């Protein structure tokens, strides 16, 4: 599996030989995969950003500027959230992009975020939500059905938006919905938190990887699948350097969380796509007979999900594969007796909304 | 170097509908692909003096307007593509041309951060630029069009691009967008005004674009120094006048109407500060177009006795 973006990320020097058409393709792939800023940072680290034609390098630099702004905002928002949580005696535990950036992980370099994800024990959820609302975070208006969906079947409350600053906050109480196939005991996530700044925590190295894998392989929309896999590759290369027991503890930890399946996919596709060096025995210990059996079909689907668009040569059946993965993610999330009525309702609602909203987004273009 | 007007009708239409037509517009290359007649007509009218880039040049913004599938044909809709993705919802067919121009604005608004981008028109006379920030509806585009028809050089109708290192403004001359009554005002202001396709019933009402590269230097790319910042306001009721305004609140207002002032952080502040220190700031309240153009002429000729 080879494409320009992969070559550029793994071997930054390779961009020096690209012609304009290839550079155009590389930037489109990076932009559409939400990896423009990450690529910019990486090329700058290797001193090759400067050697690109200015016409191309300025787009990368423009992407990095957006990342820098998000990074500044993130620091500020975390101070604000910390000020809400600290009086309650609750820890601020960051997940996903915010955790990578504030945890100063390699995966956070050039990482773009759209919202801030935090996790709080389920028992504290009500008072955390109340305190955040007191401090200016608001839920957006949503239908009773959607509200019910979040509260009953979700692992997070409906997203909160700050009324002045407009930033979006997702408050989780678990890393997977309670209706999903794997029942995760979230309480054990609190055992090994890492304090990355005074009062600001992330999950442990193992748990960050497992969560990232779980999120990616339970997620139905693969628009940023490649970006998420890049996060995982960065972490798998990074963590063993800080933590000599990283590999030994990874699979056993996933087993005790009941998330070995997702970890197996993450390890396997990170190695396939980004050549991540993974000890063979780690991969073998995450394998199972049924995973081995399903591997050809999974490979077929995920290869398509992890190829950026547009590519030089698009793999056949890409849209069908993405649709199959979308269905799979829902199937993993809820049992069929909940899933079918939910999907029917969503499809029906979508049809109703289409005519109303079609013009709305178009209008924004002219603002 | 090929200029668009050198292409035959067939060549233009073939290039637009096949791989796309790469046009040099200010500091960027836009590649535009569309089979729609109205897009072709608009481009032939409004971009006739623009340079066509080579096929192997770097393309900054790859855009397309296309009608795909039965549903879009039945509903008379089309889609806007950037880099092969659809950032907006479907567009009514009758607004295709306006959306091409808005989409081209959007490319710069969203993606370019190598400049401080003020939401402003910019014009020049004798190599010194005047930046005209304005809230939508303040009449900056109308004034910009009138100046373009009065021997002024239009630098931009939408984005004043300030180079951080030099503090100079980078020209990005494209057609000026006019709405509703402004279209008639400009048509009666000058017979020279040349318009592209009219889009009816957009969310901004009736929209038409005016060819803006009428000056002999319109296609030069050298950045220019800014002499003044003028905040135009069309008002049928208030007395007309050109008056000095304070730099401090001009700073705030222009920064507020910037696309990326806060995104640029310290750089944004420093560029804005340096700019505001070297320019004089004015309010321009007008109802008569000839008077407004005269007032602007007075301003650059240094006859303004404020």
């Amino acid at each position: 599996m080879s494409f320009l973006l992969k070559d550029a990320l793994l071997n930054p020097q390779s961009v020096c030989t690209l012609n304009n058409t290839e550079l155009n393709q590389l930037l489109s792939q990076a932009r559409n995969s939400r990896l423009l800023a990450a690529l910019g940072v990486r090329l700058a680290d290797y001193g090759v950003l400067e050697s690109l034609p200015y016409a191309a390098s300025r787009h990368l630099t423009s992407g990095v500027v957006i990342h820098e702004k998000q990074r500044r905002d993130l620091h500020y928002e975390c101070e604000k959230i910390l000020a809400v949580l600290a009086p309650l005696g609750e820890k601020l535990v960051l997940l996903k992009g915010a955790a990578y950036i504030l945890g100063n992980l390699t995966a956070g370099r050039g990482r773009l975020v759209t919202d801030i994800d935090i996790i709080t024990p389920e028992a504290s959820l009500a008072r955390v939500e109340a305190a955040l609302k007191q401090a200016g975070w608001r839920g957006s208006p949503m239908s009773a059905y959607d509200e019910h969906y979040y509260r009953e079947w979700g692992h997070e409350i409906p997203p909160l938006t700050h009324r002045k600053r407009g930033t979006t906050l997702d408050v989780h109480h678990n890393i997977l919905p309670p209706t999903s196939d794997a029942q995760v005991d979230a309480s054990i996530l609190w055992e090994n938190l890492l304090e990355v700044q005074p009062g600001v925590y992330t999950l442990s190295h193992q748990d960050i990887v497992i969560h990232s894998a779980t999120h990616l392989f339970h997620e139905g929309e693969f628009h940023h699948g490649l970006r998420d896999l890049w996060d995982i590759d960065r972490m798998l290369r990074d963590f063993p350097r800080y933590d000599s027991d990283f590999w030994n503890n990874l699979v056993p930890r996933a087993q005790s969380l009941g998330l070995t399946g997702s970890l197996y996919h993450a390890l396997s596709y990170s190695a396939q796509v980004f050549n991540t060096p993974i000890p063979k025995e780690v991969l073998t210990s995450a394998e199972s007979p049924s995973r081995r059996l399903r591997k050809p079909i999974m490979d077929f689907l995920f290869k398509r999900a992890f190829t950026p668009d547009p590519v030089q040569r698009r793999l056949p059946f890409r849209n069908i594969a993405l649709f199959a993965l979308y269905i799979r993610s829902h199937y993993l999330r809820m049992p069929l007796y909940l899933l079918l009525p939910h999907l029917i309702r969503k499809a029906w609602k979508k049809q109703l909304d289409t005519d109303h909203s079609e013009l709305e987004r178009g209008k924004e273009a002219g603002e | 170097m090929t200029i668009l007007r050198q292409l035959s009708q067939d060549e233009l239409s073939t290039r637009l509908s096949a791989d796309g037509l790469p046009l040099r517009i200010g500091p960027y290359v836009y590649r535009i692909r569309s089979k729609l007649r109205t897009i072709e007509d608009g481009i032939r009218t409004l971009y006739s003096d623009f340079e066509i880039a080579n096929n192997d040049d770097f393309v900054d913004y790859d855009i397309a307007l296309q009608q795909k599938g039965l549903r879009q044909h039945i509903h008379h809709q089309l889609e806007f593509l950037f880099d092969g993705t659809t950032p907006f919802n479907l567009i009514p067919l009758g607004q295709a041309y306006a959306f091409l121009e808005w989409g081209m604005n959007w490319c710069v608004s969203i993606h370019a951060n190598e400049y401080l981008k003020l939401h402003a028109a910019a014009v020049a006379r004798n190599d010194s630029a005047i930046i005209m920030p304005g809230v939508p509806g303040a009449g900056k585009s109308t004034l910009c069009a009138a100046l373009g028809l009065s021997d002024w050089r239009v630098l931009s109708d939408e984005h004043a691009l300030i180079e951080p290192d030099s503090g100079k403004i980078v020209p990005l001359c494209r057609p000026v967008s006019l709405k509703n009554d402004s279209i008639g005002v400009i048509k009666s202001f000058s017979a020279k005004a040349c318009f592209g396709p009219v889009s009816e019933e957009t969310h901004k009402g009736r929209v038409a674009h005016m060819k803006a590269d009428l000056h002999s230097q319109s296609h030069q790319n050298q950045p220019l120094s800014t002499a003044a910042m003028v905040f135009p306001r069309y008002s049928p009721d208030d007395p007309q006048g050109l008056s000095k305004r304070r730099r401090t609140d001009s700073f705030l207002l222009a920064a507020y109407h910037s696309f990326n002032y806060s995104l640029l952080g310290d750089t944004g502040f420093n560029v804005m500060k340096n700019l505001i220190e070297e320019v004089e700031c004015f309010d321009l309240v007008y109802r008569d177009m000839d008077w407004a153009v005269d007032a602007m002429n007075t301003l650059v000729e240094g006859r303004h006795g404020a």
Side-chain angles (χ1 to χ4, degrees):
Chain A
M1 199 159 152
S2 172
F3 45 88
L4 285 169
L5 179 58
K6 165 187 174 169
D7 299 339
L9 285 168
L10 290 181
N11 175 18
Q13 303 291 348
S14 70
V15 301
C16 299
T17 58
L18 300 181
N19 64 32
N20 281 331
T21 312
E22 290 164 330
L23 281 172
N24 267 141
Q25 222 154 35
L26 170 64
L27 291 191
S28 301
Q29 290 179 2
R31 211 179 257 145
N32 291 342
S33 312
R34 303 195 196 172
L35 280 165
L36 188 68
L39 179 64
V41 169
R42 190 132 170 90
L43 297 186
D45 283 349
Y46 279 73
V48 290
L49 190 58
E50 272 13 354
S51 57
L52 285 181
Y54 175 67
S57 70
R58 62 174 164 183
H59 289 283
L60 292 156
T61 317
S62 289
V64 176
V65 165
I66 295 174
H67 162 73
E68 295 294 345
K69 157 80 169 155
Q70 293 188 341
R71 190 187 180 86
R72 290 196 301 272
D73 288 355
L74 209 49
H75 277 278
Y76 183 77
E77 290 297 332
C78 280
E79 268 176 40
K80 295 285 172 192
I81 301 166
L82 196 56
V84 176
L85 297 185
L88 304 178
E90 296 294 340
K91 286 176 173 155
L92 169 54
V93 184
L94 298 171
L95 298 174
K96 303 190 224 174
Y100 310 156
I101 293 175
L102 290 195
N104 273 323
L105 304 185
T106 317
R109 309 214 54 226
R111 178 64 150 75
L112 298 176
V113 292
T114 42
D115 43 29
I116 303 171
D117 296 279
I118 67 173
I119 185 165
T120 189
E122 196 170 3
S124 315
L125 196 58
R127 58 200 203 109
V128 166
E129 184 178 352
L132 286 167
K133 286 189 168 162
Q134 197 80 53
W137 300 88
R138 301 278 155 86
S140 37
M142 61 170 63
S143 69
Y145 178 79
D146 287 345
E147 180 91 21
H148 174 76
Y149 177 88
Y150 271 102
R151 304 275 175 190
E152 276 306 299
W153 301 328
H155 55 307
E156 57 189 299
I157 62 171
L160 300 172
T161 305
H162 195 273
R163 74 187 155 86
K164 277 193 185 148
R165 301 191 296 277
T167 40
T168 310
L169 183 61
D170 282 339
V171 185
H172 302 244
H173 56 81
N174 202 329
I175 54 176
L176 269 187
T179 50
S180 63
D181 60 337
Q183 294 287 326
V184 179
D185 174 11
S187 65
I188 69 170
L189 296 171
W190 303 88
E191 290 166 1
N192 306 320
L193 297 180
L194 299 175
E195 187 168 15
V196 295
Q197 275 178 31
V200 182
Y201 296 80
T202 67
L203 301 179
S204 72
H205 287 157
Q206 278 88 0
D207 290 353
I208 289 194
V209 171
I210 294 164
H211 177 227
S212 187
T214 305
H215 183 67
L216 172 56
F217 289 97
H218 278 77
E219 180 77 36
E221 295 180 14
F222 279 85
H223 308 304
H224 42 86
L226 189 70
R227 191 270 316 264
D228 293 358
L229 197 64
W230 175 248
D231 289 341
I232 290 170
D233 166 83
R234 296 293 90 189
M235 294 190 277
L236 292 177
R237 287 172 194 260
D238 232 19
F239 293 160
R241 279 186 250 166
Y242 311 127
D243 176 0
S244 53
D245 276 335
F246 175 76
W247 287 120
N248 294 336
N249 295 337
L250 185 61
V251 177
R253 180 64 175 178
Q255 280 160 349
S256 55
L257 282 162
L259 296 170
T260 327
S262 293
L263 178 66
Y264 171 72
H265 290 313
L267 296 174
S268 145
Y269 294 113
S270 182
Q272 277 187 52
V273 177
F274 290 120
N275 314 332
T276 320
I278 294 163
K280 198 156 179 295
E281 62 279 10
V282 173
L283 201 57
T284 320
S285 65
E287 229 178 13
S288 74
S290 81
R291 274 168 216 144
R292 218 170 344 212
L293 203 64
R294 279 180 294 151
K295 194 162 189 314
I297 174 99
M298 289 301 173
D299 281 357
F300 176 86
L301 298 177
F302 283 118
K303 225 178 221 174
R304 280 147 185 84
F306 293 132
T307 313
D309 209 27
V311 278
Q312 298 91 317
R313 193 170 51 86
R314 193 187 245 223
L315 293 169
F317 308 115
R318 183 174 187 271
N319 290 342
I320 293 173
L322 291 181
F323 184 67
L325 288 172
Y326 174 77
I327 296 295
R328 172 184 177 269
S329 75
H330 276 81
Y331 175 70
L332 292 177
R333 203 173 288 185
M334 330 174 109
L336 272 182
Y337 72 91
L338 288 177
L339 175 60
L340 283 179
H342 173 64
L343 285 183
I344 290 166
R345 197 179 166 116
K346 257 178 91 167
W348 173 66
K349 178 127 191 336
K350 195 176 167 191
Q351 194 52 46
L352 276 183
D353 287 348
T354 309
D355 294 328
H356 298 295
S357 67
E358 257 171 7
L359 296 177
E360 294 301 318
R361 256 172 81 209
K363 280 180 186 173
E364 287 166 18
E367 294 305 326
Chain B
M1 187 167 103
T2 314
I3 302 299
L4 193 139
R5 65 163 78 244
Q6 295 168 323
L7 296 187
S8 72
Q9 193 156 341
D10 280 353
E11 279 172 318
L12 176 63
S13 123
T14 310
R15 295 201 63 177
L16 275 172
S17 55
D19 294 336
L21 183 75
L23 284 178
R24 275 197 190 286
I25 301 175
Y28 301 118
V29 173
Y30 283 82
R31 183 167 57 209
I32 303 163
R33 187 167 51 80
S34 183
K35 288 182 178 151
L36 291 170
R37 189 56 200 268
T38 160
I39 297 294
E40 185 190 324
D41 289 345
I43 286 180
R44 188 184 306 110
T45 311
L46 297 171
Y47 290 90
S48 56
D49 293 311
F50 282 71
E51 183 190 335
I52 298 174
N54 296 321
N55 276 339
D56 53 4
D57 283 340
F58 183 83
V59 174
D60 289 280
Y61 304 117
D62 181 55
I63 57 187
L65 279 147
Q66 66 178 22
Q67 240 186 333
K68 199 181 75 183
L70 193 58
R71 204 181 130 87
Q72 289 182 16
H73 279 93
I74 291 172
H75 291 271
H76 300 286
Q77 290 170 323
L78 68 149
E79 58 187 20
F80 176 91
L81 293 166
F82 171 76
D83 248 2
T85 62
T86 47
F88 312 118
N89 274 348
L90 296 173
I91 301 155
L93 197 54
Q95 302 176 13
Y97 194 77
F99 260 91
L100 170 70
E101 292 286 346
W102 288 333
M104 289 169 82
N105 288 341
W106 173 87
C107 290
V108 176
S109 306
I110 294 289
H111 296 290
N113 289 312
E114 68 271 36
Y115 307 115
L116 173 67
K117 295 172 294 187
L118 301 182
H119 189 193
V123 289
R125 187 97 194 251
N126 310 333
D127 288 335
S128 57
I130 292 183
I131 294 176
M132 304 193 292
V135 289
K140 70 176 162 62
S141 289
T142 321
L143 180 57
C144 179
L147 290 167
L149 294 162
S150 312
D151 299 325
W152 283 66
R153 177 179 166 197
V154 174
L155 301 175
S156 178
D157 162 41
E158 180 76 8
H159 295 100
L161 305 176
I162 317 291
E163 232 176 24
D165 292 339
S166 67
K168 290 183 172 180
I169 176 167
V170 175
L172 175 64
C173 178
R174 286 200 10 240
V176 175
S177 157
L178 293 169
K179 300 183 282 274
N180 304 317
D181 296 344
S182 305
I183 302 171
V185 169
I186 290 303
K187 277 184 176 161
S188 55
F189 177 79
S190 167
K192 276 196 297 181
C194 164
F195 283 89
V198 179
S199 299
E200 305 281 357
E201 290 177 19
T202 76
H203 62 291
K204 295 184 174 186
R206 191 162 182 255
V207 171
H209 289 78
M210 187 197 90
K211 191 174 190 301
D213 52 336
L214 306 174
H215 193 272
S216 60
Q217 293 176 320
S218 283
H219 292 281
Q220 289 194 0
N221 283 327
Q222 283 83 4
L224 280 77
S225 300
T226 306
M229 208 179 267
V230 174
F231 293 76
R233 185 165 64 86
Y234 170 80
S235 166
D237 309 316
D238 295 314
Q240 303 194 111
L242 180 69
S243 54
K244 269 204 171 172
R245 59 176 290 150
R246 278 155 47 145
R247 286 201 169 108
T248 43
D249 53 47
S250 304
F251 180 117
L252 292 179
L253 197 56
Y256 184 76
H257 289 294
S258 159
F259 291 94
N260 63 348
Y261 170 77
S262 75
L263 198 67
L264 292 176
D266 290 354
T267 309
F269 174 81
N270 289 324
V271 175
M272 198 65 222
K273 174 177 151 287
N274 294 339
L275 178 69
I276 216 83
E277 275 171 357
E278 80 182 37
V279 302
E280 288 195 284
C281 302
F282 299 90
D283 276 314
L284 177 69
V285 181
Y286 74 95
R287 63 177 166 273
D288 178 68
M289 221 62 237
D290 292 299
W291 180 88
V293 170
D294 247 15
M296 292 290 282
N297 286 336
T298 315
L299 187 67
V300 286
E301 285 154 20
R303 285 189 277 117
H304 181 71

